[in-house]
Amino acid sequence: MKKRIITLACVLLSAALCFSGCGYPDQRIENPQKDFDYVVYSNGGSAVQYGEYVYFINGLRGYADEDAKQNVFGNVVKGGIYRAKLNVEASKRVDGDKNIASVGSAIMAKDADGNPIAGMPLTEMLFDFEIAAEGRLKFADTINKYGKDFADLEITDEEEELGEKIDWVKNVAVAPKTAGTAGYAQGGIFIFDEYLYFATPNNEKNRSGVVQSTHTEFWRMHVSGKDVRKILTTKGVAESTPYGFYKSGDSVYLVCSYQNEDGKLDVVSVRMKGTTIYKAMYLTQEANNVYIPVRDTYDKNNSAPIGLGDFVFYTRDVKEGDKMKRGNLIEVTSPDGAERFSFAMTGNDKPTQIEDVRDGLIFYTAQTEWETTEVQFSNLHDMLMMPETEIEGESGIKVQGSKRYQDYEAQATVKRGQVSGTVFGQQNFDSYHTKYYYRQNPFDSHAYMLGFSDSGVFRLTTVGAESAGVKILSSSPELLMVKGQYMYYLQGAAIWRTDIFKTAAEKAAASPTGEEGEQLTDRDVVTAGTFRTDIVAGHLVFFAAYDEWTQAGTAYTFFKKLRPGSVSFMIGTLAEEDYPTAEQLADYFGLTDHDDHDGHDHG
């Protein structure tokens, strides 16, 4: 074979930005988003849809920064926040009907309060975006990955199969800063009213010269790239503790937690209104564990009814003035601290753990005096409706329900009563290494648990035969998420899904191959890292190596339409260290001998 000269042009990255004073320079974004009258979907996820655009985390590189040079704003490619455009024609609401998707034409099923109905088929829960005549969603502006960098590379007819590999989506950097923390998967990208919010590891050094990456910074910026601001840097270690952003009234609130010197958790709130960021305040400095719900849908034109997703939850030890004298209790507070009440537990010395706040219910574990563990649930309606009362023995300290909730209830046409109970309680509770709690629809008076044990995955509830558990999967894989009727899980090196409402035997009997689930991904996925998978714009989002030249332990972002037979494709920008060298490319195409990689034609 004739030897060819291969030229690999240098990849030009943005130079490090110089900061001056208290502000940060605007980020130059090509064709910034200008229309904001859209619903935000998948808030808090690794990819978020805002109108015609999908904002996503451009892969995973890890969070280490030993020399304080890996997480400099303006320099981050892999792990930064990028944006891609959907090539569908954006349509505003139809006659003001909030059930119509902001992009697309499919209708999401909702209850009388405007909440998505849990348990509906996934095809009805997600917007299909099938507007194009060919019935396929594509991202806009596909280009050759290698561009001018590989213009000198001659590709023969035998090598044309690579053409499929190097076709990818045009995208732009929005926040070139590492997004997320090392251990909290519910804290991805948040968007409220034109502003983007995210967390990132601190990259400042202490007096000993050690980078404080276990502390967390919180940032916000306009989606146009303007008004880049740092909101807060945590005082304590926060790489695995929960955080989130709330929209309440005319303000956005950051709520985060971190460990303090007493071994407890501080819970801190920061209010942001317009361009003003107010001083941080403590919601508590004595939490044992914290749960911060995330509303994954935000519509500025149609406020969602007030619910448990608008509050912060934590447990604390009992103290003077509490009616319960032993053990610990759950305290519930609004993000501004104005509405607060305590939710007493069993009253013994056993610890209480908040498990989940989902589907309008709070799930928590409580141990009885007989050493059994119970998973209890409540929608806290009575607590939210209680009037303001002063704590006995502590003058001036008041406990109250939620005035916002009470105002909503006064106007609601469908009244919500108190629902509570025990979803599961027996001595072999610990045999389930993973648990997922839910209820099937907003009016269901029962709650359910998916329990993962060595013998399979079981659906359990206190109702009828399912109290003993119904097997829905014979294997015991790693749970990734539950959306609609499907549970998504990691089996081997692939992502699968299975219907949680059908038994394992029913699914195996209906499958030609006897499979109880459906394999979704067509490549090895990353099994480590904070962010694993997500669903946005009718696509599964996951992380995987782009090719054989991707650095070990890192990954890029792939999208795959939730349709049988669809192929996954990468959206994102390669970091410089993951571009193949000229020698590697020559070796890949077999253009040179293995011992001749100096780039010269020796004839």
Side-chain angles (χ1 to χ4, degrees), residues 217-463:
E217 297 175 359
F218 297 94
W219 289 54
R220 82 163 197 176
M221 62 184 294
H222 195 274
V223 294
S224 67
K226 299 179 180 179
D227 194 20
V228 182
R229 305 278 296 277
K230 185 192 296 185
I231 303 168
L232 177 76
T233 301
T234 61
K235 293 181 180 180
V237 173
E239 59 183 347
S240 299
T241 52
Y243 62 87
F245 293 87
Y246 294 78
K247 179 65 188 294
S248 179
D250 59 2
S251 300
V252 173
Y253 292 85
L254 158 68
V255 179
C256 64
S257 65
Y258 52 85
Q259 190 172 33
N260 57 37
E261 295 178 352
D262 296 329
K264 299 291 187 179
L265 293 174
D266 289 343
V267 182
V268 175
S269 175
V270 180
R271 180 190 178 197
M272 291 159 279
K273 179 182 178 182
T275 59
T276 303
I277 299 177
Y278 293 85
K279 184 178 180 180
M281 61 171 288
Y282 289 107
L283 295 177
T284 183
Q285 292 185 275
E286 52 190 10
N288 294 323
N289 65 85
V290 180
Y291 194 94
I292 299 177
V294 173
R295 279 189 181 268
D296 62 3
T297 301
Y298 171 66
D299 183 352
K300 68 177 182 180
N301 295 301
N302 291 284
S303 298
I306 191 74
L308 295 189
D310 300 286
F311 295 91
V312 181
F313 300 78
Y314 57 88
T315 65
R316 64 167 175 82
D317 298 332
V318 298
K319 60 184 180 180
E320 184 178 355
D322 293 329
K323 293 182 178 180
M324 191 172 73
K325 303 303 179 183
R326 300 171 59 194
N328 54 41
L329 48 77
I330 294 176
E331 196 150 82
V332 185
T333 177
S334 57
D336 60 2
E339 300 173 325
R340 185 187 301 260
F341 61 87
S342 298
F343 183 43
M345 308 314 302
T346 57
N348 58 39
D349 292 327
K350 306 298 181 181
T352 299
Q353 176 75 34
I354 303 170
E355 298 290 330
D356 266 313
V357 178
R358 180 180 293 115
D359 300 333
L361 299 176
I362 175 174
F363 297 88
Y364 55 92
T365 55
Q367 290 186 334
T368 69
E369 297 284 7
W370 299 275
E371 302 298 327
T372 59
T373 301
E374 293 183 344
V375 181
Q376 300 178 358
F377 65 92
S378 174
N379 72 358
L380 301 187
H381 172 82
D382 288 347
M383 295 293 176
L384 291 165
M385 291 296 293
M386 72 182 183
E388 182 178 85
T389 57
E390 187 168 309
I391 299 178
E392 182 180 355
E394 296 192 21
S395 177
I397 300 179
K398 297 180 179 180
V399 176
Q400 60 186 29
S402 169
K403 187 176 186 303
R404 293 177 299 153
Y405 184 90
Q406 293 164 17
D407 290 344
Y408 171 76
E409 283 294 298
Q411 302 297 323
T413 55
V414 178
K415 303 298 181 182
R416 294 174 288 185
Q418 171 73 346
V419 178
S420 62
T422 299
V423 63
F424 183 71
Q426 60 186 57
Q427 290 184 339
N428 65 347
F429 179 79
D430 291 337
S431 65
Y432 296 100
H433 57 80
T434 302
K435 302 103 177 172
Y436 180 89
Y437 310 93
Y438 68 99
R439 68 172 163 177
Q440 294 184 166
N441 65 69
F443 306 105
D444 196 335
S445 59
H446 305 290
Y448 298 80
M449 183 186 88
L450 299 181
F452 290 63
S453 73
D454 292 340
S455 56
V457 182
F458 297 82
R459 186 178 66 239
L460 303 106
T461 185
T462 54
V463 182

